[in-house]
Amino acid sequence: MRTNDAAAEVAPVAHEPHSDLKRVAASSFLGNFIEWFDYATYTYFAITIGQVFFPGSEVNSTLMAFAIFALAFIFRPLGAMFWGSMGDKKGRKQSLAISVLLMSGAAFLIGCLPSYQAIGLASPILLLVLRSVQGFSVAGEYSGAAVFLAEYAPPEKRGRYCSLVPASTATGLLAGSTMALVLKMVLPEAAIIEWGWRIPFLLAGPLGFIAHYIRTKLEDSPAFVKMEEGNKEAEHPTHLVFKKYRKRLLSSVAATMVNAVGFYLVLTYLPTYLTSYTSMEASQAQLATDIALIAYLLIIFGSGTLSDKVGRRRMLLTACVA
């Protein structure tokens, strides 16, 4: 994959005023933050969610909670194709505005779900459905925000601006982890199980509406407007990717897999592992995750800026080896 060729394809046609770029950057950061705050909250309360929806031994209930988390990933590639195609056909801002509404709505409804003791087997089934909706919608948020920023950003600062996307992801995780830490410190365990775990999910509702409103006020990038005016090709965008850009697609998937394994292992599962299988208290495990997330945030911005100087390919290869 040649970095210069790939960068040229998303180069903006004309630079918008700096204020427009700042609004796009802020909305991308906020929307992605909300999505990942909602998405990550589930993992930080996995033990509690297991007890609420899968009664039994703690080991089995926790495994079932993470099984629901894993099954939601099946819908990520489906969502990526759907939202990517919508972004190419209907516009970046429309796909982003709808995806954040779906994500936050599903999170809010998870916070409202009755427990297994209240409605039986219907409770975990509804949890699986809502988690699947989250998995489907988050695929459009992360990649859509990256494309939106890449098309707006000046070519010489594209890495710096696009680093806002993983930075907002880490910030959402940090906010979710911190809220979990605070709740576990100030509330007794019985209150956490009964109602405390629902608080972060219920916050998703109003936050999602705010992000949706902001995005409806944005304009699509000049690059998309030109593509829409000049592209009369009838072929479906997804078909075109598999037909013409298979090598780049496989390279991108491989590079993303390296990041994803470490990301979810360290930043989402590790707190549960430390709590369940070592003598570490839950608050200490959450604090360790918070420290890792802060370090992650600092590295992201430096790496994004450095990629503008040394190129994306060199940065990816170095990161994979490291």
Side-chain angles (χ1 to χ4, degrees):
M1 180 174 65
R2 293 183 61 190
T3 305
N4 292 339
D5 292 344
E9 290 182 6
V10 295
V13 179
H15 299 311
E16 290 290 299
H18 186 61
S19 59
D20 289 349
L21 178 56
K22 285 172 61 178
R23 286 193 296 113
V24 170
S27 69
S28 297
F29 187 95
L30 176 61
N32 207 44
F33 164 83
I34 293 170
E35 293 244 9
W36 285 92
F37 172 78
D38 298 343
Y39 201 74
T41 296
Y42 183 97
T43 65
Y44 297 134
F45 285 99
I47 295 176
T48 303
I49 289 173
Q51 294 173 334
V52 172
F53 293 95
F54 305 98
S57 69
E58 182 176 306
V59 172
N60 289 336
S61 63
T62 302
L63 284 174
M64 289 302 297
F66 273 105
I68 296 291
F69 182 79
L71 287 171
F73 277 81
I74 296 174
F75 293 88
R76 290 282 289 274
L78 297 176
M81 289 187 287
F82 175 83
W83 297 112
S85 177
M86 175 182 283
D88 286 335
K89 289 182 173 295
K90 303 295 184 180
R92 319 301 191 203
K93 75 167 189 175
Q94 181 171 338
S95 64
L96 286 170
I98 298 174
S99 68
V100 75
L101 208 55
L102 278 177
M103 179 73 183
S104 57
F108 179 83
L109 291 176
I110 288 176
C112 299
L113 281 179
S115 66
Y116 184 92
Q117 291 182 341
I119 60 174
L121 190 60
S123 182
I125 291 176
L126 289 172
L127 177 65
L128 175 59
V129 171
L130 293 173
R131 284 292 302 167
S132 299
V133 172
Q134 286 188 304
F136 182 80
S137 62
V138 78
E141 175 60 36
Y142 191 94
S143 56
V147 170
F148 207 23
L149 274 171
E151 290 182 338
Y152 257 103
E156 70 278 5
K157 295 181 180 179
R158 188 170 291 135
R160 183 188 302 177
Y161 276 99
C162 287
S163 66
L164 285 170
V165 177
S168 61
T169 297
T171 306
L173 290 172
L174 181 60
S177 177
T178 302
M179 176 165 283
L181 174 63
V182 172
L183 289 174
K184 290 174 182 178
M185 290 177 65
V186 301
L187 294 177
E189 185 176 355
I192 291 289
I193 295 173
E194 186 175 353
W195 55 268
W197 69 272
R198 300 178 184 273
I199 294 175
F201 291 98
L202 295 175
L203 286 175
L207 289 175
F209 276 111
I210 291 171
H212 174 76
Y213 175 79
I214 292 174
R215 285 179 168 174
T216 57
K217 301 302 179 182
L218 295 175
E219 297 294 333
D220 268 311
S221 67
F224 171 77
V225 173
K226 183 176 181 180
M227 181 188 73
E228 188 179 38
E229 292 173 351
N231 185 15
K232 304 300 181 183
E233 193 171 13
E235 190 169 2
H236 195 280
T238 304
H239 296 165
L240 189 62
V241 169
F242 283 98
K243 178 181 177 181
K244 191 175 179 181
Y245 300 103
R246 278 179 292 186
K247 185 177 179 180
R248 293 185 182 182
L249 176 63
L250 290 174
S251 298
S252 300
V253 169
T256 305
M257 286 173 64
V258 174
N259 169 73
V261 171
F263 181 90
Y264 285 103
L265 184 65
V266 175
L267 299 179
T268 60
Y269 175 67
L270 188 59
T272 300
Y273 172 81
L274 293 174
T275 302
S276 300
Y277 302 103
T278 74
S279 59
M280 186 175 289
E281 295 180 0
S283 59
Q284 294 176 324
Q286 293 294 158
L287 181 60
T289 301
D290 287 351
I291 294 172
L293 282 166
I294 292 171
Y296 182 74
L297 273 168
L298 295 175
I299 294 170
I300 282 173
F301 287 114
S303 299
T305 302
L306 186 59
S307 73
D308 288 325
K309 300 180 182 299
V310 303
R312 325 298 179 205
R313 182 176 182 273
R314 189 176 299 176
M315 283 295 299
L316 286 171
L317 289 174
T318 302
C320 286
V321 172

